[in-house]
Amino acid sequence: MSADEPDSAVEEEMALARRLRFAREYIGLLQEDVATALDIPRASVSAIESGKRRVSSLELRRLGRLYRRPVAWLLEEDGAELEVDEPLLRATKALSDHDREQVLRFAEFLADAGRPGTASAKRRE
């Protein structure tokens, strides 16, 4: 980043850096894991996530695949927000029918937890 860049470009690069770090942490990868996957030094991953190093288009595409996120989402493009259900569906796809039923029961429990008049809400009163 040079001193003569417009503030909006610097803001966009910092937003990308934050989003890349969030995506990495969300799926539980260490910077070392990313460095190995991309075949770059761990210090480069750190520099990318702190906005001190730009990401090439190839690296961005590889990061998107690694983080299971569309590049448009990483870039915060309009309309590129993930559907809330998408990660949940992806995470439960490989579960057995019994395990999916357990996830559903837990989701229903969470949904009812804050509703007035439900058993779980009454227990907290």
Side-chain angles (χ1 to χ4, degrees):
M1 288 182 284
S2 64
D4 60 333
E5 278 188 273
D7 286 341
S8 63
V10 173
E11 290 171 15
E12 285 182 45
E13 289 175 8
M14 291 307 296
L16 174 60
R18 285 189 300 272
R19 207 123 209 225
L20 288 169
R21 181 176 180 181
F22 170 82
R24 176 184 59 78
E25 290 175 344
Y26 184 80
I27 63 169
L29 292 177
L30 300 172
Q31 287 182 344
E32 187 65 37
D33 300 326
V34 176
T36 300
L38 270 59
D39 197 27
I40 61 174
R42 191 209 55 79
S44 293
V45 177
S46 178
I48 287 169
E49 291 183 358
S50 64
K52 295 177 182 169
R53 178 186 178 281
R54 290 186 176 187
V55 183
S56 75
S57 57
L58 179 59
E59 288 171 331
L60 189 60
R61 189 173 69 196
R62 293 173 74 198
L63 286 165
R65 280 195 303 256
L66 182 63
Y67 297 157
R68 293 179 236 132
R69 301 276 191 232
V71 171
W73 183 87
L74 293 172
L75 295 172
E76 294 185 285
E77 297 289 327
D78 290 337
E81 286 303 314
L82 294 176
E83 291 291 324
V84 174
D85 297 341
E86 183 182 334
L88 183 59
L89 289 173
R90 207 172 32 237
T92 59
K93 189 175 186 178
L95 296 177
S96 69
D97 289 342
H98 175 73
D99 289 344
R100 278 196 300 274
E101 287 175 22
Q102 295 297 320
V103 171
L104 177 60
R105 283 192 200 119
F106 183 66
E108 289 170 342
F109 166 78
L110 290 176
D112 287 342
R115 290 188 196 145
T118 61
S120 57
K122 287 180 182 174
R123 280 193 296 267
R124 285 185 281 140
E125 292 175 354

